[in-house]
Amino acid sequence: MHAFDLDALLGDAGPLAAAIPGFRHRPQQVEMAGAILAAIEAQTVAVLEAGTGTGKTVAYLVPALLAGGKVIISTGTKNLQDQLFHRDIPAVRRALKAPVTAALLKGRANYVCHYHLERTLADGRLSSREDVRHLRRIASSHAATPSGDRAEFAGVPEGAAVWGHVTSTRENCLGQECPHHASCYVLAARRDALAADVVVVNHHLFFADIVLKDEGMAELLPACNTVILDEAHQLPETARMFFGATLASTQLMDLARDALSEGLANAREAADWPDLARALENASRDARLALPENPVRIALGQLARRDALDGALDRLGERLADLGRALEANAARAEGLEAVWHRAQALRTLLDAWRGGAEAHADGLPDAAPAVAPAVAAAPPVRWVEVFGHSFQLHTTPMSIAPLFRAQIEAERRAWILTSATLAVRSDFSLYLGELGLDAVEGARALAWPSPFDYASQALLYVPRDMPDALAPEFTARVVDEAVALIAAANRPGPAGTFLLFTTLRGMNRAHELLADLLPRQGLDLPLLLQGQGSRTELLERFRQLGNAVLVASQSFWEGVDVKGDALKLVVIDKLPFAPPDDPVLAARIEAMKRQGRNAFMEYQLPRAAIALKQGAGRLIRDETDRGVLVICDTRLTDKPYGRRLWQALPPMRRTRERAEALSFLEAAAPDAGASNTIPPHQAKGQA
């Protein structure tokens, strides 16, 4: 047992209170920290829902830093990784005087690759002058960047196309054959992670490594005593992605580009590299033309032009084989050629597996955890296609990832902590536990703590009367009309910000068009922001700084967004966030549940919608002094029998159907500032 007093550490007179301005004792935080400590000591699984304001980051960092042993913390995004590493861990470590070391580990695509930077500089083939400027900036400053982390190159946008030319992937990394192996940033980050007491990763990296054993986690996990998975509501979807398999046309185009570059550089006379590369590119484009014209997600069995696709994929396989043979014949000439040959082999295997022609991958899944393969045999994976404007992806997704994830949990004894503000529906964890197979893990505990915020006085839930049906053509226009009246009221006491969150991109874009016209006509000179106009980080920073902006967004802003004060006083949600029933994996799961005589809507779709709605609603109140209105324009919330289950899953806000009450609430003055158990941004300067 560990001899430290959590009540004292997290109390009003404790070291956290002395180090963090506004920190105060919260019983929920102490209880959560105690549950985590108990799981660490017993090496068991704890699934913990902590309402907004509980201070869950501090609640898991205190026992994790003091209990000893190696800890891996995985969170939802790279931005949250950076926040944990640069702000939260240093603050708690200083307060506790804990002698622990920490490391930040990201996927290889987040680090500049010396080899690919060198090749791109020599090759000189970039698509725009802007890319050339960005390349020069990277080349001139990367030597002065100790980690090579893309996040440290402030002058090069996160989404700049040049990053794809100067970073490596699992497929094109030369490994020990690379001439820059000794100075590789990726290997340096892995070495730091192996030596550190606490390693901060993100969910994509965590699952990529579990499945692919590629990014260093294969070495980290065996030595780890505790795994903490923050933002754990994202795990089922992320796990589905990585326990499945995907072949993207962009991978084929990249292969053609790299084969051409390596072939011309190392075996120019050995093959007609331009012709081979062009043939693969054309075959990939032909496969796209054999798919539906508009962007869509569709199951293989629902494709109307199946014969045309089969023929196109036959030709694609042939061109891939042609290129593969030329690469194989010359692979010994250079490490780069050999690496491209292996990529061609891997993509051909993926293509054959998706088409059902490779016995080694007959289930369509990667070679991870073969011991659990029989458990999923009864529920065959779903083969489906995702079509974009000029590209496509061929997916194989397991119907259930429960046996696969449970196998990871049970592979070796250690503590697993899964935490989020939204894992349960009114403290019922059955959906979440079932999706991850945790309901069958011995000793697993699920606990929930409500938010300490006073929602009854801080927030109002408003469902407008007389809204049209959510599927009606005029619905989005009515949502915008309702929002504009409320935006005006929110800004009357002083500047105030608004989120308009939509369940579809079509609704989002239509609302933005309408608002661009309607706000000026109503005399509302307010900044109007749209998801996609910049990275999420850039948009959020602008939104906070402006203080009175209207941000129109879709799924990207439903979660992981923290805006305190009047900078976000109004959140408008257009529809209940039911997953689209034509989603191929969801449709297959619903059909399977129906065959079992189960009610898929009540058991699966409704709880998922409730958890997603909690996420969207959670954007509004982020602090004890926040005050605002949540508007849900979908009257199914009040008119349908199942609506009660949805609004009861939300925080206990006051509820109204009257616009006048919502306007009055928005126009009222906010209370004075108070205390908070979160680590303020001004403490972000400490280094981990």
Side-chain angles (χ1 to χ4, degrees), residues 429-488:
F429 288 86
S430 56
L431 174 67
Y432 186 78
L433 295 176
E435 282 204 283
L436 292 180
L438 300 177
D439 51 354
V441 174
E442 184 178 355
R445 297 178 67 204
L447 300 168
W449 291 271
S451 168
F453 297 156
D454 182 6
Y455 279 98
S457 64
Q458 289 182 254
L460 180 71
L461 169 61
Y462 168 46
V463 181
R465 293 187 186 276
D466 303 322
M467 288 293 292
D469 184 88
L471 298 178
E474 69 273 19
F475 178 77
T476 300
R478 290 288 300 278
V479 170
V480 169
D481 288 341
E482 195 70 43
V484 168
L486 295 164
I487 291 167

Short mmCIF file of all heavy atoms in Angstrom, two decimals, residues 429-488:
data_model
loop_
_atom_site.label_atom_id
_atom_site.label_comp_id
_atom_site.label_asym_id
_atom_site.label_seq_id
_atom_site.Cartn_x
_atom_site.Cartn_y
_atom_site.Cartn_z
N PHE A 429 -23.36 1.94 -17.56
CA PHE A 429 -22.19 1.78 -18.42
C PHE A 429 -22.32 0.60 -19.37
O PHE A 429 -21.34 0.24 -20.04
CB PHE A 429 -20.95 1.54 -17.54
CG PHE A 429 -20.46 2.74 -16.79
CD1 PHE A 429 -20.99 3.06 -15.55
CD2 PHE A 429 -19.46 3.55 -17.30
CE1 PHE A 429 -20.53 4.15 -14.84
CE2 PHE A 429 -18.99 4.65 -16.60
CZ PHE A 429 -19.53 4.96 -15.36
N SER A 430 -23.47 -0.04 -19.44
CA SER A 430 -23.58 -1.32 -20.14
C SER A 430 -23.18 -1.22 -21.61
O SER A 430 -22.50 -2.12 -22.13
CB SER A 430 -24.99 -1.90 -20.00
OG SER A 430 -25.95 -1.00 -20.47
N LEU A 431 -23.58 -0.17 -22.31
CA LEU A 431 -23.21 -0.03 -23.73
C LEU A 431 -21.70 0.05 -23.87
O LEU A 431 -21.09 -0.67 -24.67
CB LEU A 431 -23.88 1.20 -24.34
CG LEU A 431 -23.43 1.52 -25.78
CD1 LEU A 431 -23.89 0.44 -26.74
CD2 LEU A 431 -23.94 2.88 -26.23
N TYR A 432 -21.08 0.92 -23.11
CA TYR A 432 -19.64 1.15 -23.22
C TYR A 432 -18.85 -0.11 -22.83
O TYR A 432 -17.94 -0.53 -23.57
CB TYR A 432 -19.23 2.33 -22.33
CG TYR A 432 -17.78 2.72 -22.50
CD1 TYR A 432 -17.37 3.47 -23.59
CD2 TYR A 432 -16.82 2.32 -21.58
CE1 TYR A 432 -16.04 3.82 -23.76
CE2 TYR A 432 -15.49 2.67 -21.74
CZ TYR A 432 -15.10 3.43 -22.83
OH TYR A 432 -13.79 3.77 -23.00
N LEU A 433 -19.19 -0.71 -21.72
CA LEU A 433 -18.48 -1.90 -21.29
C LEU A 433 -18.62 -3.03 -22.30
O LEU A 433 -17.66 -3.76 -22.58
CB LEU A 433 -19.01 -2.36 -19.92
CG LEU A 433 -18.78 -1.41 -18.74
CD1 LEU A 433 -19.45 -1.94 -17.49
CD2 LEU A 433 -17.30 -1.19 -18.49
N GLY A 434 -19.81 -3.17 -22.88
CA GLY A 434 -20.04 -4.22 -23.87
C GLY A 434 -19.26 -3.98 -25.14
O GLY A 434 -18.73 -4.93 -25.75
N GLU A 435 -19.18 -2.72 -25.59
CA GLU A 435 -18.46 -2.42 -26.83
C GLU A 435 -16.98 -2.78 -26.74
O GLU A 435 -16.36 -3.21 -27.72
CB GLU A 435 -18.61 -0.95 -27.19
CG GLU A 435 -19.94 -0.59 -27.80
CD GLU A 435 -19.86 0.66 -28.64
OE1 GLU A 435 -19.82 1.76 -28.07
OE2 GLU A 435 -19.83 0.53 -29.87
N LEU A 436 -16.38 -2.62 -25.54
CA LEU A 436 -14.96 -2.88 -25.38
C LEU A 436 -14.68 -4.24 -24.75
O LEU A 436 -13.52 -4.58 -24.50
CB LEU A 436 -14.31 -1.78 -24.53
CG LEU A 436 -14.25 -0.39 -25.17
CD1 LEU A 436 -13.59 0.60 -24.23
CD2 LEU A 436 -13.51 -0.42 -26.50
N GLY A 437 -15.72 -5.01 -24.47
CA GLY A 437 -15.52 -6.32 -23.87
C GLY A 437 -15.14 -6.27 -22.41
O GLY A 437 -14.71 -7.27 -21.83
N LEU A 438 -15.31 -5.12 -21.75
CA LEU A 438 -14.91 -4.98 -20.35
C LEU A 438 -15.91 -5.59 -19.39
O LEU A 438 -15.59 -5.81 -18.22
CB LEU A 438 -14.71 -3.49 -20.02
CG LEU A 438 -13.64 -2.77 -20.86
CD1 LEU A 438 -13.58 -1.30 -20.50
CD2 LEU A 438 -12.28 -3.42 -20.67
N ASP A 439 -17.13 -5.85 -19.89
CA ASP A 439 -18.13 -6.49 -19.04
C ASP A 439 -17.74 -7.92 -18.69
O ASP A 439 -18.30 -8.52 -17.76
CB ASP A 439 -19.51 -6.46 -19.70
CG ASP A 439 -19.50 -6.99 -21.13
OD1 ASP A 439 -18.40 -7.28 -21.66
OD2 ASP A 439 -20.57 -7.09 -21.73
N ALA A 440 -16.77 -8.48 -19.42
CA ALA A 440 -16.33 -9.85 -19.16
C ALA A 440 -14.95 -9.90 -18.51
O ALA A 440 -14.36 -10.98 -18.39
CB ALA A 440 -16.31 -10.65 -20.46
N VAL A 441 -14.40 -8.75 -18.11
CA VAL A 441 -13.08 -8.70 -17.48
C VAL A 441 -13.24 -8.79 -15.97
O VAL A 441 -13.92 -7.97 -15.36
CB VAL A 441 -12.33 -7.41 -17.86
CG1 VAL A 441 -11.02 -7.30 -17.08
CG2 VAL A 441 -12.06 -7.37 -19.36
N GLU A 442 -12.60 -9.77 -15.37
CA GLU A 442 -12.73 -9.99 -13.93
C GLU A 442 -12.15 -8.80 -13.15
O GLU A 442 -11.06 -8.32 -13.43
CB GLU A 442 -11.98 -11.27 -13.52
CG GLU A 442 -12.14 -11.63 -12.06
CD GLU A 442 -11.41 -12.92 -11.71
OE1 GLU A 442 -10.87 -13.57 -12.64
OE2 GLU A 442 -11.39 -13.28 -10.52
N GLY A 443 -12.92 -8.32 -12.17
CA GLY A 443 -12.45 -7.25 -11.30
C GLY A 443 -12.64 -5.85 -11.85
O GLY A 443 -12.33 -4.87 -11.15
N ALA A 444 -13.15 -5.70 -13.08
CA ALA A 444 -13.36 -4.36 -13.64
C ALA A 444 -14.46 -3.64 -12.87
O ALA A 444 -15.51 -4.22 -12.57
CB ALA A 444 -13.72 -4.46 -15.12
N ARG A 445 -14.23 -2.35 -12.58
CA ARG A 445 -15.21 -1.53 -11.86
C ARG A 445 -15.58 -0.33 -12.72
O ARG A 445 -14.73 0.23 -13.42
CB ARG A 445 -14.66 -1.03 -10.53
CG ARG A 445 -14.31 -2.11 -9.52
CD ARG A 445 -13.73 -1.48 -8.26
NE ARG A 445 -14.73 -0.69 -7.55
CZ ARG A 445 -14.43 0.32 -6.72
NH1 ARG A 445 -13.17 0.69 -6.55
NH2 ARG A 445 -15.39 0.97 -6.09
N ALA A 446 -16.83 0.07 -12.65
CA ALA A 446 -17.31 1.27 -13.35
C ALA A 446 -17.96 2.19 -12.33
O ALA A 446 -18.89 1.78 -11.62
CB ALA A 446 -18.29 0.89 -14.45
N LEU A 447 -17.49 3.44 -12.26
CA LEU A 447 -17.99 4.40 -11.29
C LEU A 447 -18.23 5.74 -11.98
O LEU A 447 -17.56 6.08 -12.96
CB LEU A 447 -16.98 4.60 -10.15
CG LEU A 447 -16.61 3.35 -9.33
CD1 LEU A 447 -15.39 3.64 -8.46
CD2 LEU A 447 -17.80 2.90 -8.49
N ALA A 448 -19.17 6.52 -11.45
CA ALA A 448 -19.49 7.82 -12.04
C ALA A 448 -19.63 8.87 -10.94
O ALA A 448 -20.15 8.59 -9.85
CB ALA A 448 -20.78 7.74 -12.85
N TRP A 449 -19.15 10.07 -11.24
CA TRP A 449 -19.31 11.22 -10.34
C TRP A 449 -19.94 12.36 -11.13
O TRP A 449 -19.50 12.68 -12.25
CB TRP A 449 -17.95 11.68 -9.81
CG TRP A 449 -17.33 10.70 -8.88
CD1 TRP A 449 -17.49 10.61 -7.53
CD2 TRP A 449 -16.44 9.64 -9.23
NE1 TRP A 449 -16.77 9.57 -7.02
CE2 TRP A 449 -16.11 8.95 -8.03
CE3 TRP A 449 -15.88 9.20 -10.43
CZ2 TRP A 449 -15.26 7.86 -8.02
CZ3 TRP A 449 -15.04 8.11 -10.42
CH2 TRP A 449 -14.73 7.45 -9.23
N PRO A 450 -20.96 13.00 -10.57
CA PRO A 450 -21.59 14.13 -11.27
C PRO A 450 -20.70 15.36 -11.24
O PRO A 450 -19.79 15.46 -10.40
CB PRO A 450 -22.87 14.35 -10.46
CG PRO A 450 -22.52 13.90 -9.08
CD PRO A 450 -21.59 12.73 -9.26
N SER A 451 -20.96 16.28 -12.13
CA SER A 451 -20.23 17.54 -12.14
C SER A 451 -20.54 18.33 -10.87
O SER A 451 -21.66 18.31 -10.37
CB SER A 451 -20.66 18.36 -13.36
OG SER A 451 -20.18 19.69 -13.25
N PRO A 452 -19.55 19.04 -10.34
CA PRO A 452 -19.81 19.90 -9.18
C PRO A 452 -20.49 21.21 -9.54
O PRO A 452 -20.85 21.99 -8.63
CB PRO A 452 -18.40 20.16 -8.63
CG PRO A 452 -17.51 20.07 -9.83
CD PRO A 452 -18.13 19.03 -10.71
N PHE A 453 -20.69 21.47 -10.82
CA PHE A 453 -21.31 22.73 -11.22
C PHE A 453 -22.79 22.76 -10.85
O PHE A 453 -23.46 21.73 -10.83
CB PHE A 453 -21.16 22.95 -12.73
CG PHE A 453 -19.73 23.07 -13.19
CD1 PHE A 453 -19.38 22.78 -14.50
CD2 PHE A 453 -18.72 23.49 -12.33
CE1 PHE A 453 -18.07 22.89 -14.94
CE2 PHE A 453 -17.41 23.59 -12.75
CZ PHE A 453 -17.08 23.28 -14.07
N ASP A 454 -23.30 23.96 -10.61
CA ASP A 454 -24.71 24.16 -10.28
C ASP A 454 -25.47 24.44 -11.58
O ASP A 454 -25.79 25.57 -11.91
CB ASP A 454 -24.85 25.32 -9.30
CG ASP A 454 -26.30 25.54 -8.88
OD1 ASP A 454 -27.18 24.72 -9.25
OD2 ASP A 454 -26.56 26.55 -8.20
N TYR A 455 -25.76 23.36 -12.32
CA TYR A 455 -26.39 23.53 -13.63
C TYR A 455 -27.76 24.19 -13.54
O TYR A 455 -28.17 24.91 -14.46
CB TYR A 455 -26.50 22.17 -14.32
CG TYR A 455 -25.23 21.73 -14.98
CD1 TYR A 455 -24.37 20.84 -14.34
CD2 TYR A 455 -24.87 22.19 -16.23
CE1 TYR A 455 -23.19 20.42 -14.94
CE2 TYR A 455 -23.70 21.78 -16.85
CZ TYR A 455 -22.85 20.90 -16.19
OH TYR A 455 -21.69 20.50 -16.79
N ALA A 456 -28.48 23.96 -12.47
CA ALA A 456 -29.82 24.51 -12.36
C ALA A 456 -29.81 26.04 -12.40
O ALA A 456 -30.76 26.66 -12.87
CB ALA A 456 -30.48 24.02 -11.08
N SER A 457 -28.76 26.66 -11.89
CA SER A 457 -28.68 28.12 -11.92
C SER A 457 -27.77 28.63 -13.03
O SER A 457 -27.92 29.77 -13.47
CB SER A 457 -28.17 28.65 -10.57
OG SER A 457 -26.85 28.20 -10.33
N GLN A 458 -26.85 27.78 -13.51
CA GLN A 458 -25.89 28.25 -14.51
C GLN A 458 -26.36 28.06 -15.95
O GLN A 458 -25.87 28.74 -16.85
CB GLN A 458 -24.56 27.49 -14.34
CG GLN A 458 -23.78 27.87 -13.10
CD GLN A 458 -22.46 27.11 -13.03
OE1 GLN A 458 -22.30 26.19 -12.25
NE2 GLN A 458 -21.51 27.51 -13.86
N ALA A 459 -27.28 27.12 -16.19
CA ALA A 459 -27.60 26.77 -17.57
C ALA A 459 -29.10 26.54 -17.76
O ALA A 459 -29.80 26.11 -16.84
CB ALA A 459 -26.84 25.53 -17.99
N LEU A 460 -29.54 26.82 -18.98
CA LEU A 460 -30.92 26.61 -19.36
C LEU A 460 -30.95 25.78 -20.64
O LEU A 460 -30.24 26.09 -21.61
CB LEU A 460 -31.62 27.95 -19.61
CG LEU A 460 -33.09 27.90 -20.03
CD1 LEU A 460 -33.97 27.46 -18.86
CD2 LEU A 460 -33.55 29.27 -20.55
N LEU A 461 -31.75 24.72 -20.66
CA LEU A 461 -31.98 23.92 -21.87
C LEU A 461 -33.26 24.39 -22.52
O LEU A 461 -34.33 24.35 -21.91
CB LEU A 461 -32.08 22.44 -21.52
CG LEU A 461 -32.57 21.49 -22.63
CD1 LEU A 461 -31.65 21.53 -23.84
CD2 LEU A 461 -32.72 20.07 -22.10
N TYR A 462 -33.16 24.84 -23.77
CA TYR A 462 -34.31 25.40 -24.49
C TYR A 462 -34.58 24.57 -25.73
O TYR A 462 -33.70 24.41 -26.59
CB TYR A 462 -34.01 26.86 -24.85
CG TYR A 462 -34.96 27.50 -25.84
CD1 TYR A 462 -36.34 27.36 -25.73
CD2 TYR A 462 -34.45 28.28 -26.89
CE1 TYR A 462 -37.20 27.96 -26.64
CE2 TYR A 462 -35.30 28.90 -27.79
CZ TYR A 462 -36.67 28.73 -27.68
OH TYR A 462 -37.51 29.32 -28.59
N VAL A 463 -35.78 24.02 -25.83
CA VAL A 463 -36.24 23.30 -27.02
C VAL A 463 -37.36 24.13 -27.64
O VAL A 463 -38.47 24.20 -27.09
CB VAL A 463 -36.75 21.89 -26.68
CG1 VAL A 463 -37.18 21.16 -27.95
CG2 VAL A 463 -35.67 21.09 -25.95
N PRO A 464 -37.11 24.82 -28.76
CA PRO A 464 -38.11 25.72 -29.34
C PRO A 464 -39.41 24.99 -29.70
O PRO A 464 -39.39 23.83 -30.13
CB PRO A 464 -37.42 26.27 -30.59
CG PRO A 464 -35.97 26.04 -30.37
CD PRO A 464 -35.87 24.80 -29.55
N ARG A 465 -40.49 25.68 -29.56
CA ARG A 465 -41.79 25.16 -29.99
C ARG A 465 -41.93 25.32 -31.51
O ARG A 465 -41.25 26.13 -32.14
CB ARG A 465 -42.93 25.92 -29.33
CG ARG A 465 -43.03 25.73 -27.82
CD ARG A 465 -44.31 26.39 -27.32
NE ARG A 465 -44.38 26.35 -25.86
CZ ARG A 465 -44.84 25.31 -25.17
NH1 ARG A 465 -45.24 24.23 -25.81
NH2 ARG A 465 -44.88 25.36 -23.85
N ASP A 466 -42.82 24.54 -32.09
CA ASP A 466 -43.26 24.72 -33.49
C ASP A 466 -42.12 24.64 -34.50
O ASP A 466 -42.19 25.26 -35.57
CB ASP A 466 -43.98 26.07 -33.65
CG ASP A 466 -45.17 26.19 -32.71
OD1 ASP A 466 -45.86 25.17 -32.51
OD2 ASP A 466 -45.38 27.28 -32.16
N MET A 467 -41.10 23.89 -34.18
CA MET A 467 -40.05 23.65 -35.18
C MET A 467 -40.55 22.61 -36.17
O MET A 467 -41.29 21.69 -35.79
CB MET A 467 -38.77 23.15 -34.51
CG MET A 467 -38.03 24.21 -33.71
SD MET A 467 -37.34 25.53 -34.73
CE MET A 467 -36.05 24.65 -35.63
N PRO A 468 -40.16 22.72 -37.44
CA PRO A 468 -40.56 21.69 -38.41
C PRO A 468 -39.85 20.38 -38.11
O PRO A 468 -38.91 20.32 -37.30
CB PRO A 468 -40.10 22.27 -39.75
CG PRO A 468 -39.00 23.22 -39.40
CD PRO A 468 -39.36 23.78 -38.05
N ASP A 469 -40.28 19.33 -38.77
CA ASP A 469 -39.63 18.04 -38.65
C ASP A 469 -38.15 18.17 -39.03
O ASP A 469 -37.80 18.95 -39.92
CB ASP A 469 -40.31 17.02 -39.57
CG ASP A 469 -39.72 15.63 -39.41
OD1 ASP A 469 -40.19 14.88 -38.54
OD2 ASP A 469 -38.77 15.31 -40.16
N ALA A 470 -37.30 17.43 -38.33
CA ALA A 470 -35.86 17.55 -38.54
C ALA A 470 -35.45 17.21 -39.98
O ALA A 470 -34.37 17.61 -40.43
CB ALA A 470 -35.11 16.66 -37.56
N LEU A 471 -36.29 16.47 -40.71
CA LEU A 471 -35.98 16.11 -42.09
C LEU A 471 -36.60 17.07 -43.10
O LEU A 471 -36.39 16.93 -44.31
CB LEU A 471 -36.45 14.69 -42.38
CG LEU A 471 -35.81 13.58 -41.55
CD1 LEU A 471 -36.42 12.23 -41.91
CD2 LEU A 471 -34.30 13.55 -41.75
N ALA A 472 -37.36 18.06 -42.63
CA ALA A 472 -38.04 18.99 -43.53
C ALA A 472 -37.03 19.90 -44.24
O ALA A 472 -36.01 20.28 -43.65
CB ALA A 472 -39.04 19.83 -42.75
N PRO A 473 -37.29 20.27 -45.50
CA PRO A 473 -36.35 21.12 -46.25
C PRO A 473 -36.07 22.46 -45.57
O PRO A 473 -34.98 23.00 -45.69
CB PRO A 473 -37.05 21.32 -47.60
CG PRO A 473 -38.01 20.19 -47.71
CD PRO A 473 -38.45 19.86 -46.32
N GLU A 474 -37.07 23.00 -44.86
CA GLU A 474 -36.92 24.32 -44.25
C GLU A 474 -36.31 24.27 -42.85
O GLU A 474 -36.16 25.31 -42.19
CB GLU A 474 -38.29 25.02 -44.19
CG GLU A 474 -39.29 24.42 -43.21
CD GLU A 474 -40.12 23.29 -43.80
OE1 GLU A 474 -39.71 22.72 -44.84
OE2 GLU A 474 -41.20 23.01 -43.22
N PHE A 475 -35.92 23.07 -42.39
CA PHE A 475 -35.49 22.93 -41.00
C PHE A 475 -34.27 23.80 -40.69
O PHE A 475 -34.25 24.53 -39.69
CB PHE A 475 -35.20 21.46 -40.68
CG PHE A 475 -34.71 21.23 -39.28
CD1 PHE A 475 -35.60 21.24 -38.22
CD2 PHE A 475 -33.36 21.03 -39.02
CE1 PHE A 475 -35.16 21.04 -36.92
CE2 PHE A 475 -32.91 20.82 -37.73
CZ PHE A 475 -33.81 20.83 -36.68
N THR A 476 -33.23 23.74 -41.50
CA THR A 476 -32.01 24.48 -41.21
C THR A 476 -32.26 25.98 -41.18
O THR A 476 -31.71 26.70 -40.33
CB THR A 476 -30.91 24.14 -42.23
OG1 THR A 476 -30.63 22.74 -42.17
CG2 THR A 476 -29.63 24.90 -41.95
N ALA A 477 -33.09 26.47 -42.09
CA ALA A 477 -33.41 27.91 -42.09
C ALA A 477 -34.10 28.31 -40.79
O ALA A 477 -33.83 29.39 -40.23
CB ALA A 477 -34.30 28.24 -43.29
N ARG A 478 -34.98 27.45 -40.27
CA ARG A 478 -35.66 27.76 -39.01
C ARG A 478 -34.67 27.71 -37.83
O ARG A 478 -34.79 28.50 -36.88
CB ARG A 478 -36.80 26.78 -38.78
CG ARG A 478 -37.99 26.98 -39.75
CD ARG A 478 -38.78 28.26 -39.39
NE ARG A 478 -39.30 28.17 -38.03
CZ ARG A 478 -40.43 27.54 -37.70
NH1 ARG A 478 -41.13 26.92 -38.64
NH2 ARG A 478 -40.83 27.52 -36.44
N VAL A 479 -33.72 26.80 -37.88
CA VAL A 479 -32.69 26.76 -36.84
C VAL A 479 -31.92 28.08 -36.82
O VAL A 479 -31.67 28.66 -35.75
CB VAL A 479 -31.71 25.58 -37.08
CG1 VAL A 479 -30.50 25.67 -36.15
CG2 VAL A 479 -32.43 24.25 -36.88
N VAL A 480 -31.55 28.57 -37.99
CA VAL A 480 -30.80 29.82 -38.09
C VAL A 480 -31.64 30.99 -37.59
O VAL A 480 -31.15 31.86 -36.85
CB VAL A 480 -30.32 30.05 -39.54
CG1 VAL A 480 -29.77 31.46 -39.72
CG2 VAL A 480 -29.27 29.01 -39.90
N ASP A 481 -32.92 31.04 -37.96
CA ASP A 481 -33.80 32.12 -37.47
C ASP A 481 -33.83 32.13 -35.95
O ASP A 481 -33.75 33.19 -35.31
CB ASP A 481 -35.22 31.93 -38.01
CG ASP A 481 -35.32 32.25 -39.50
OD1 ASP A 481 -34.42 32.94 -40.02
OD2 ASP A 481 -36.30 31.80 -40.13
N GLU A 482 -33.99 30.96 -35.35
CA GLU A 482 -34.04 30.85 -33.89
C GLU A 482 -32.72 31.29 -33.29
O GLU A 482 -32.68 32.02 -32.29
CB GLU A 482 -34.35 29.40 -33.50
CG GLU A 482 -34.78 29.21 -32.07
CD GLU A 482 -36.15 29.78 -31.77
OE1 GLU A 482 -37.07 29.59 -32.60
OE2 GLU A 482 -36.30 30.42 -30.71
N ALA A 483 -31.62 30.86 -33.92
CA ALA A 483 -30.29 31.18 -33.38
C ALA A 483 -30.02 32.67 -33.41
O ALA A 483 -29.45 33.23 -32.45
CB ALA A 483 -29.22 30.43 -34.17
N VAL A 484 -30.41 33.36 -34.49
CA VAL A 484 -30.10 34.79 -34.61
C VAL A 484 -30.76 35.59 -33.49
O VAL A 484 -30.13 36.49 -32.91
CB VAL A 484 -30.53 35.30 -36.00
CG1 VAL A 484 -30.49 36.82 -36.05
CG2 VAL A 484 -29.61 34.73 -37.08
N ALA A 485 -32.01 35.28 -33.15
CA ALA A 485 -32.68 35.99 -32.05
C ALA A 485 -31.93 35.78 -30.74
O ALA A 485 -31.78 36.71 -29.94
CB ALA A 485 -34.12 35.51 -31.93
N LEU A 486 -31.45 34.58 -30.51
CA LEU A 486 -30.75 34.27 -29.28
C LEU A 486 -29.35 34.88 -29.26
O LEU A 486 -28.87 35.34 -28.21
CB LEU A 486 -30.66 32.75 -29.10
CG LEU A 486 -32.01 32.05 -28.92
CD1 LEU A 486 -31.86 30.55 -29.15
CD2 LEU A 486 -32.57 32.32 -27.53
N ILE A 487 -28.68 34.91 -30.41
CA ILE A 487 -27.36 35.53 -30.50
C ILE A 487 -27.45 37.01 -30.14
O ILE A 487 -26.61 37.55 -29.41
CB ILE A 487 -26.77 35.35 -31.92
CG1 ILE A 487 -26.42 33.88 -32.16
CG2 ILE A 487 -25.55 36.23 -32.12
CD1 ILE A 487 -26.13 33.55 -33.61
N ALA A 488 -28.48 37.67 -30.64
CA ALA A 488 -28.67 39.09 -30.33
C ALA A 488 -28.84 39.29 -28.83
O ALA A 488 -28.24 40.19 -28.22
CB ALA A 488 -29.88 39.63 -31.08
#
